Amino acid sequence: QSVLTQPPSVSGAPGQSVTISCTGSSFGAGYGVHWYQHLSGTAPKLLIYRNYNRPSGVPDRFSGSKSGTSASLAISGLQTEDEGDYYCQSYDSSLSGWVFGGGTKLTVL
Amino acid sequence: EVQLVQSGAEVKKPGESLKISCKASGYSFSGYWIGWVRQMPGKGLEWMGIVYPGDSDTRYSPSFQGQVSISADESIRTAYLQWSSLKASDSGTYYCARHRGGYDDNFDYWGQGTLVTVSS
């Protein structure tokens, strides 16, 4: 069981917006959260780093936020190609290592 | 262009040994760590461990300590993940990814993954 908790699934229609949550005690220690997109048959891709920063090339439809022990990934203007799995990731000092959330499957209806 | 190219799919029997590789290009290999991440069939991502090619400093997730060995050869810009005796439960896809090594850092570039199948 992951120390970072994500909902197993979310869904939305094309053009709509969805939010994926990630909760973890490690956030309370001040560690940042990163988000990855993992589309079927491809390597995971860094989507958001250190809570709200987007790497070059990531559309501004993707945004991140963090408050206390919770973080969120928001996706606006859903597209069919957004369908896949999304993971949050942070550092856990009790484990002395990096951890991933359990993942959230996004379905674009 | 930063690239991490992993070795190909493997089919092994329980008890056999295996070493898979991750070759880096397009950046200073000794300036970053390389992490390994497992994805079991139908499951999520799990951090296994990380190695610093500059001095071979290695850290393991408690879940994988003693189960695998992670190493790197700076001269050929390649990191490795190794098993001495595979189990069926080691079946999955293994990804290598670049990391700066700081607590707040992320895995910014990923390899394409190596599928490992362990079956009698």
Side-chain angles (χ1 to χ4, degrees), chain A residues 2-97:
Chain A
S2 176
V3 297
L4 299 180
T5 302
Q6 299 181 233
S9 63
V10 297
S11 62
Q16 289 188 334
S17 299
V18 295
T19 299
I20 299 172
S21 62
C22 174
T23 59
S25 58
S26 57
F27 297 159
Y31 296 114
V33 63
H34 318 288
W35 291 92
Y36 301 86
Q37 177 191 59
H38 192 192
L39 305 180
S40 181
T42 70
K45 171 188 173 184
L46 179 65
L47 211 54
I48 298 288
Y49 66 96
R50 292 185 185 168
N51 306 329
Y52 54 77
N53 298 283
R54 276 189 308 275
S56 174
V58 173
D60 59 8
R61 301 188 296 107
F62 298 91
S63 62
S65 63
K66 175 175 167 279
S67 178
T69 58
S70 293
S72 294
L73 172 70
I75 309 172
S76 62
L78 276 174
Q79 299 178 3
T80 54
E81 54 261 41
D82 296 334
E83 194 164 273
D85 298 316
Y86 292 79
Y87 295 89
C88 58
Q89 176 252 308
S90 186
Y91 184 83
D92 190 286
S93 56
S94 64
L95 298 176
S96 296

Side-chain angles (χ1 to χ4, degrees), chain B residues 97-119:
Chain B
R98 192 180 79 162
H99 194 275
R100 289 187 181 271
Y103 299 146
D104 246 4
D105 287 320
N106 52 73
F107 297 93
D108 60 353
Y109 288 91
W110 293 65
Q112 82 277 19
T114 296
L115 176 63
V116 174
T117 303
V118 184
S119 175

Side-chain angles (χ1 to χ4, degrees), chain B residues 7-95:
Chain B
S7 49
E10 301 274 1
V11 179
K12 292 289 190 179
K13 290 181 167 44
E16 292 186 330
S17 63
L18 176 63
K19 191 174 189 178
I20 62 174
S21 65
C22 169
K23 186 170 178 62
S25 62
Y27 72 96
S28 172
F29 187 59
S30 58
Y32 292 80
W33 296 64
I34 294 287
W36 287 93
V37 175
R38 180 177 78 174
Q39 183 173 38
M40 297 177 72
K43 302 296 185 183
L45 304 176
E46 301 172 87
W47 175 69
M48 301 176 69
I50 199 165
V51 60
Y52 184 63
D55 62 6
S56 294
D57 185 13
T58 311
R59 304 173 192 175
Y60 294 91
S61 161
S63 298
F64 292 92
Q65 179 81 48
Q67 307 304 308
V68 298
S69 178
I70 293 171
S71 60
D73 186 335
E74 190 179 1
S75 67
I76 56 173
R77 304 173 61 86
T78 301
Y80 301 97
L81 175 63
Q82 184 172 7
W83 295 261
S84 59
S85 181
L86 286 160
K87 301 184 287 288
S89 57
D90 291 319
S91 296
T93 300
Y94 293 84
Y95 295 97

